[in-house]
Amino acid sequence: MTLSASFQRLSFRSSRLLLPSLLALGLGASASAMAQGTAPVPVNVVNIAASGFLEVPQDWLSMTLNTTREGSDAGTVQNQLKQAIDAALTVARASAKPQQLEVRTGQFSLYPRYDNKGKINGWQGSTELVLEGRDFALISTTAGKIQTLTMSGTSFSLSRDARRKLESDVQAMAIERFKARADEVSKGFGFAGYSLREISVSSADQEARPFQPRAMAMEAKAAMSDAAVPVEAGKSTVNVTVSGSIQLK
């Protein structure tokens, strides 16, 4: 027997020995794949959604007043801004009431001005005061008394307590509508009832565009001493959607 014939016979025997092992390995992999894919396909499952919304008047007003100063010396400009905000705080704090009129300072900035050669030729700064709360009349009247700052803007929203209650009420409404919809669908298909599979709850807020009074010049503000700033609140809408799948049974 030649060396070549012996090698061929050895190769054939090795192939016959390897074949059962490879076959067993392939069957094992197939069985594993089948085991992983044995999850039953859901039947009699329906996806539904229901929404609820409520619209209520906004009960929180935020009013911002500010002023700017400029000059050649940074310290002088800063002192002028400090005097303006201190005078405004004195007037505002005299009328402050928790939740009705709350007072806080806003942005305070001081920055250099440059000429066309890139050199500092002066300083400019600004300061803000924010009046906020539920008593719109008190806030607007107090703003009219402040002479060292001018109006820069107003915004209306829901107070934290009002928003929490509104969201709770709307969510309960959406859930009840989802349950009624699920019951209607299950009976419509001839089933006695249903069970919940997956549920998702989402909410969205929408606020009416706030009234923005024009900023008044300092001279006009002085002429309208103690005059209330006109304001008018809008409405806020909270929308809650409940969506998911139910198993008919």
Side-chain angles (χ1 to χ4, degrees):
M1 181 183 296
T2 64
L3 181 60
S4 176
S6 299
F7 180 77
Q8 290 177 357
R9 183 176 299 175
L10 179 60
S11 299
F12 176 72
R13 289 177 179 177
S14 299
S15 298
R16 288 197 300 176
L17 290 173
L18 286 173
L19 182 59
S21 299
L22 293 174
L23 182 59
L25 181 60
L27 291 174
S30 299
S32 176
M34 291 177 62
Q36 293 178 359
T38 55
V41 178
V43 295
N44 301 330
V45 175
V46 180
N47 295 320
I48 61 175
S51 298
F53 71 91
L54 287 174
E55 183 181 73
V56 297
Q58 296 162 331
D59 67 337
W60 192 264
L61 168 62
S62 294
M63 184 174 292
T64 303
L65 299 91
N66 73 356
T67 190
T68 60
R69 295 288 189 274
E70 57 183 75
S72 58
D73 179 68
T76 301
V77 174
Q78 181 173 318
N79 287 335
Q80 291 175 348
L81 292 172
K82 183 179 182 302
Q83 292 173 4
I85 194 68
D86 285 345
L89 283 170
T90 299
V91 175
R93 286 170 177 165
S95 302
K97 296 179 182 179
Q99 295 293 312
Q100 304 306 310
L101 169 56
E102 298 185 355
V103 182
R104 61 181 175 88
T105 56
Q107 182 181 8
F108 187 101
S109 63
L110 181 65
Y111 48 90
R113 295 181 310 180
Y114 297 89
D115 59 20
N116 54 10
K117 295 182 180 180
K119 294 184 179 181
I120 296 176
N121 64 356
W123 293 82
Q124 184 172 343
S126 64
T127 186
E128 289 182 343
L129 179 68
V130 180
L131 309 179
E132 57 187 357
R134 290 193 176 96
D135 193 331
F136 295 177
L138 179 60
I139 293 172
S140 60
T141 299
T142 302
K145 295 177 181 179
I146 297 174
Q147 299 299 307
T148 56
L149 306 177
T150 57
M151 175 85 66
S152 63
T154 63
S155 64
F156 295 91
S157 61
L158 289 178
S159 63
R160 183 165 49 188
D161 293 340
R163 181 175 297 279
R164 185 183 300 114
K165 183 180 184 305
L166 181 61
E167 289 178 345
S168 179
D169 292 344
V170 176
Q171 179 174 288
M173 179 189 299
I175 291 174
E176 289 302 315
R177 289 182 176 179
F178 182 92
K179 291 163 62 177
R181 177 65 174 160
D183 188 60
E184 178 184 349
V185 169
S186 63
K187 290 181 179 179
F189 281 105
F191 290 84
Y194 66 92
S195 61
L196 298 176
R197 287 176 58 88
E198 296 180 355
I199 293 294
S200 174
V201 179
S202 60
S203 63
D205 299 349
Q206 182 178 4
E207 295 185 353
R209 185 176 180 181
F211 171 78
Q212 293 284 354
R214 293 180 303 171
M216 292 177 288
M218 185 65 73
E219 294 79 8
K221 188 68 179 293
M224 295 178 60
S225 178
D226 297 344
V229 177
V231 293
E232 182 179 354
K235 293 183 178 181
S236 288
T237 301
V238 172
N239 188 306
V240 175
T241 299
V242 178
S243 59
S245 60
I246 59 173
Q247 177 73 59
L248 305 180
K249 60 181 183 178

